[in-house]
Amino acid sequence: YRSFIPRFATLTAPLTRLLQKKVRFQWSAPEQQAFQSLKDAFMTEPILKHPDPCRPFVVEADASDSAVGAVLLQTRVDGGPLFPCAYYSRKLNPSERNYTIWEKELLAIKTAFEAWRHHLEGARHQVEVRTDHKNLEFLQTARKLNQRQIRWSFFFSRFNFKITYIPSGRNQQADALSRKPEYTHVVTSLPPRTVLPVKSFAATHTPVDLQRQIREAQRQEEFVERRKQEIGPESPWTFSDGLLRFRNKLYVPSGPLRSLILSQCHDNPAAGHFGLYKTQHLVSRTFWWPRLRHDIYAYVTSCVQCRQAKSATGAPSGLLQPLPTPERPWGAVSMDFLTDLPPSSGFTTVYVVVDMLTKMVHFIPCRGLPTARATARLFIQHIFRLHGLPDRVVSDRGTQFTAQFWRHLMAALKVQVCLSSVSGWCADDKQTWTF
């Protein structure tokens, strides 16, 4: 309606200034005066016009969870923007708050018709009703109505109108009336409280003095000393009571304390063996350390009790299929990795390849878990060079064997790739017996 308000830019200058970047939002007397003047301008000439019974009427209605609002508009002779003739809004009673969204939107139209019945009933032109609820367009053709909707249908039969859908962005006037602050149902929120004392810092069956242990561990870590030097007004790090905090959360040094906290927040009876997201919320509201989510994910997914007690959420696994007997030596091979071994000359992983006919085995040492390209290089150097190309390769669903590079390589060499079942631990029994 800014085109109908004289000196609109000057009138709203104090309010517009608050919307600028790098301007502190501070509501003072000039802003309050501009806001009140803007409200008065909406309720006086030339904003509001007396309805002309010779011109068509337009009703815009909307509903929220707490109130309904509507605007009575009328077309202009020169075809310009619609002129508002009246505003209406009211609060929903407790029974009306239980209505479905379809009934609330329809109730907004009904209350608008009741308020402006002397203008709309028997109007010379068909009344256009605009709403942002598209299902209301099928009101007059609906086949199944409850008793309340049937009564409302008898009321609407007294009016000549049609319902038009408009996007919610074009129904801002009625939407604002249905969301007036005085209509909002205020719920008194209680301050957040924890059941256990703050000194416990976690859900523990037997309270542990974590604060003292974390303070002693921080004194022995160099990372804490480097972070102390970065403390400043813009830094997320703070230091108080002899404890380093990151965004008001205790920093836990690397070591057994992290496993202790994860055990208290997941394994103990007071924790209840929550899932990934609840355990993450319980830990992260008090503690922080690098790669916190990764550690929680690894801990929760490896919990034996959760695996045994909680049912699988995925599709049921299929039946295991026996592998055909190889027709020649090294025609079918099985491969896997043996990881997390004690270091020996820098090697911590063994790439194991077994011939499924003769049971001959190759143990290939690796420095860490290799990628798909490195696995292919080891396969060509130690297997293909000595025994030729196999017809079939059996492996688990590790990233090396499911990578696009490995699948394309095996397809180019015309080698069949057989992946074991995710839940079938014994599908690759040759590797299991070899280990």
Side-chain angles (χ1 to χ4, degrees):
Y1 299 136
R2 63 182 301 166
S3 58
F4 304 137
I5 301 178
R7 302 170 55 249
F8 180 84
T10 305
L11 183 64
T12 59
L15 303 177
T16 307
R17 185 182 59 84
L18 295 180
L19 302 177
Q20 298 176 359
K21 294 183 178 180
K22 299 182 180 180
V23 174
R24 183 180 180 183
F25 189 91
Q26 185 175 1
W27 193 271
S28 56
E31 286 77 12
Q32 181 64 31
Q33 183 179 0
F35 181 65
Q36 187 63 37
S37 301
L38 189 61
K39 291 198 299 182
D40 295 339
F42 271 89
M43 302 301 297
T44 56
E45 291 280 358
I47 292 297
L48 290 181
K49 292 289 186 180
H50 288 286
D52 184 2
C54 298
R55 304 296 305 168
F57 287 102
V58 177
V59 176
E60 294 184 356
D62 197 10
S64 64
D65 293 335
S66 57
V68 294
V71 183
L72 180 63
L73 305 166
Q74 203 167 34
T75 59
R76 299 175 57 176
V77 179
D78 57 358
L82 298 176
F83 258 115
C85 300
Y87 305 108
Y88 179 83
S89 66
R90 74 169 178 86
K91 187 177 181 180
L92 297 177
N93 58 43
S95 299
E96 292 171 342
R97 290 196 187 99
N98 296 328
Y99 288 178
T100 62
I101 184 61
W102 190 85
E103 290 180 331
K104 288 180 180 179
E105 297 286 349
L106 187 59
L107 178 63
I109 301 176
K110 178 177 178 293
T111 53
F113 280 16
E114 291 175 344
W116 302 316
R117 179 185 59 82
H118 52 287
H119 293 306
L120 303 179
E121 187 174 0
R124 298 183 181 181
H125 303 275
Q126 188 181 43
V127 180
E128 181 184 1
V129 180
R130 298 180 179 179
T131 177
D132 56 2
H133 195 71
K134 190 172 181 61
N135 290 344
L136 290 179
E137 289 185 328
F138 311 99
L139 170 65
Q140 298 177 351
T141 59
R143 296 185 178 181
K144 293 184 179 181
L145 299 175
N146 56 31
Q147 294 298 322
R148 182 188 306 112
Q149 296 165 2
I150 292 175
R151 293 194 304 268
W152 291 358
S153 297
F154 285 128
F155 172 78
F156 286 127
S157 64
R158 297 154 49 185
F159 301 87
N160 179 21
F161 70 98
K162 66 174 181 179
I163 298 179
T164 305
Y165 167 76
I166 59 174
S168 57
R170 295 172 52 189
N171 199 23
Q172 297 178 355
Q173 296 87 346
D175 181 71
L177 292 172
S178 66
R179 301 180 186 274
K180 296 175 66 175
E182 55 266 32
Y183 294 155
T184 305
H185 181 61
V186 180
V187 179
T188 304
S189 59
L190 298 176
R193 297 182 300 173
T194 56
V195 178
L196 299 175
V198 180
K199 294 183 179 180
S200 296
F201 283 99
T204 60
H205 183 62
T206 56
V208 180
D209 191 4
L210 290 176
Q211 188 174 8
R212 178 183 56 81
Q213 297 185 24
I214 293 175
R215 183 183 293 108
E216 293 178 356
Q218 288 185 0
R219 292 174 182 173
Q220 302 174 4
E221 192 172 65
E222 298 180 358
F223 178 82
V224 177
E225 299 299 329
R226 295 196 300 267
R227 297 289 84 80
K228 286 182 181 180
Q229 300 176 1
E230 301 177 2
I231 296 177
E234 302 289 337
S235 176
W237 298 93
T238 56
F239 188 81
S240 60
D241 299 332
L243 294 169
L244 182 67
R245 290 179 171 85
F246 179 79
R247 303 188 188 278
N248 296 326
K249 299 178 182 179
L250 275 178
Y251 165 71
V252 182
S254 58
L257 277 179
R258 296 182 180 179
S259 300
L260 175 62
I261 291 173
L262 294 177
S263 175
Q264 292 172 357
C265 294
H266 182 76
D267 296 345
N268 281 347
H273 282 271
F274 284 145
L276 173 62
Y277 297 104
K278 289 186 178 181
T279 304
Q280 178 180 327
H281 174 73
L282 185 61
V283 176
S284 61
R285 71 183 183 185
T286 307
F287 306 101
W288 179 90
W289 64 80
R291 297 176 60 84
L292 173 64
R293 296 182 180 180
H294 178 270
D295 293 347
I296 295 175
Y297 176 81
Y299 190 89
V300 172
T301 54
S302 61
C303 179
V304 178
Q305 296 184 17
C306 292
R307 289 280 188 174
Q308 294 175 348
K310 297 181 180 180
S311 59
T313 57
S317 56
L319 300 177
L320 297 179
Q321 301 296 330
L323 296 174
T325 304
E327 298 179 355
R328 61 182 179 87
W330 293 97
V333 297
S334 176
M335 58 183 62
D336 203 351
F337 291 97
L338 187 60
T339 60
D340 299 329
L341 298 175
S344 177
S345 302
F347 299 102
T348 58
T349 303
V350 176
Y351 178 33
V352 183
V353 183
V354 182
D355 176 24
M356 301 184 67
L357 180 63
T358 64
K359 307 302 185 290
M360 181 178 177
V361 185
H362 281 276
F363 297 96
I364 306 169
C366 306
R367 300 181 185 274
L369 194 61
T371 62
R373 292 179 181 272
T375 304
R377 191 179 301 109
L378 293 174
F379 177 79
I380 294 175
Q381 180 180 358
H382 296 275
I383 306 301
F384 174 74
R385 181 176 61 87
L386 300 176
H387 308 287
L389 201 62
D391 302 325
R392 184 172 60 254
V393 173
V394 180
S395 65
D396 58 9
R397 296 180 181 271
T399 56
Q400 297 83 3
F401 308 119
T402 58
Q404 186 176 7
F405 173 80
W406 178 265
R407 289 188 287 107
H408 289 345
L409 176 62
M410 294 294 105
L413 297 176
K414 297 182 179 181
V415 176
Q416 182 183 2
V417 177
C418 300
L419 300 178
S420 62
S421 174
V422 176
S423 57
W425 64 272
C426 59
D428 198 3
D429 57 347
K430 301 300 181 185
Q431 299 294 332
T432 304
W433 288 108
T434 302
F435 293 161

